[in-house]
Amino acid sequence: EADIYQTPRYLVIGTGKKITLECSQTMGHDKMYWYQQDPGMELHLIHYSYGVNSTEKGDLSSESTVSRIRTEHFPLTLESARPSHTSQYLCASSEYGGDGTDTQYFGPGTRLTVL
Amino acid sequence: GESVGLHLPTLSVQEGDNSIINCAYSNSASDYFIWYKQESGKGPQFIIDIRSNMDKRQGQRVTVLLNKTVKHLSLQIAATQPGDSAVYFCAETHSGNTPLVFGKGTRLSVIA
């Protein structure tokens, strides 16, 4: 069982609200990721970070921002939520194994509904 | 663009039978592959991985096969159980320097 946590697990908010989804891991992993996933569908990479003060946009930035001030913490912020943001948001972390392995471990997800 | 895709979106098997889930990848530079299992309402869970210097790797009831010639990856589950019902994703990366690219997923349904 991976030690990666996400809060809140469920969130229902109105259009235009600013929200922050929290993600923390206690494994000391340098790499962290945010994915957006509709039920039963593929994962879309939103943002990722390979270390403190390093962030990159993925294929689907979805008008969100991230920060990486501490190794263990990688919050995702939506400045103005829209109904199109309704989805599940998954956080993951990994550590390059040096032997070519780089297994990502996922949190339980945050299911966001924007009314 | 480069992507990882799955041949079948759904797969139904009888309890006790073996399951085979397939995955095609297009990036010939990919050298590390992972299979994930995702149950409803949960995040993906690591099942098994394989590096490109291998063509087969076995775990508990699961085997991953890699055919680099045709860029094909498969996950075999022996004696499939109801608890194996989930969506299965393959993912690939190159030397761990790029984010994982995930396939579209296959939903496995086990018929009791």
Side-chain angles (χ1 to χ4, degrees):
Chain A
E1 198 74 21
D3 295 324
I4 181 164
Y5 309 97
Q6 291 186 241
T7 57
R9 291 294 315 277
Y10 303 92
L11 180 62
V12 180
I13 60 168
T15 297
K17 299 292 186 184
K18 177 180 179 179
I19 60 168
T20 296
L21 307 184
E22 303 288 348
C23 177
S24 295
Q25 50 96 5
T26 59
M27 297 171 284
H29 288 170
D30 286 332
K31 300 180 181 181
M32 295 189 74
Y33 312 81
W34 275 104
Y35 293 87
Q36 184 176 341
Q37 183 188 35
D38 291 327
M41 302 296 286
E42 60 193 301
L43 285 79
H44 295 283
L45 182 65
I46 309 172
H47 296 278
Y48 60 100
S49 167
Y50 281 0
V52 171
N53 294 325
S54 162
T55 61
E56 301 287 343
K57 291 187 175 183
D59 300 328
L60 185 72
S61 297
S62 71
E63 299 153 347
S64 57
T65 59
V66 291
S67 63
R68 189 86 184 278
I69 299 172
R70 304 197 316 264
T71 298
E72 64 271 22
H73 194 216
F74 191 42
L76 174 76
T77 297
L78 288 173
E79 292 293 332
S80 180
R82 299 204 309 264
S84 60
H85 293 139
T86 295
S87 189
Q88 170 149 283
Y89 292 83
L90 291 162
C91 180
S93 72
S94 71
E95 188 78 17
Y96 183 59
D99 58 353
T101 62
D102 193 11
T103 305
Q104 287 186 20
Y105 295 95
F106 284 82
T110 293
R111 181 163 297 283
L112 173 66
T113 301
V114 183
L115 302 176
Chain B
E2 295 163 340
S3 63
V4 179
L6 296 179
H7 292 307
L8 298 173
T10 60
L11 177 66
S12 296
V13 298
Q14 288 289 136
E15 181 178 359
D17 287 352
N18 296 334
S19 302
I20 300 176
I21 301 172
N22 295 305
C23 176
Y25 65 94
S26 58
N27 185 358
S28 57
S30 293
D31 56 8
Y32 179 56
F33 305 86
I34 306 175
W35 279 101
Y36 285 92
K37 171 187 180 183
Q38 187 176 26
E39 296 174 282
S40 180
K42 298 183 179 179
Q45 179 183 14
F46 171 86
I47 301 174
I48 192 168
D49 60 357
I50 189 168
R51 288 180 287 161
S52 58
N53 61 352
M54 306 169 69
D55 52 21
K56 180 179 180 179
R57 190 164 189 221
Q58 288 184 294
Q60 186 177 13
R61 282 201 308 118
V62 295
T63 300
V64 55
L65 298 177
L66 175 63
N67 185 330
K68 295 182 289 293
T69 302
V70 295
K71 292 184 284 190
H72 184 267
L73 191 70
S74 68
L75 176 70
Q76 300 178 359
I77 304 173
T80 312
Q81 303 169 358
D84 295 326
S85 293
V87 177
Y88 290 80
F89 292 94
C90 63
E92 53 150 340
T93 187
H94 173 55
S95 298
N97 292 325
T98 56
L100 285 175
V101 175
F102 284 83
K104 295 187 185 301
T106 293
R107 180 173 299 280
L108 175 65
S109 296
V110 181
I111 304 167

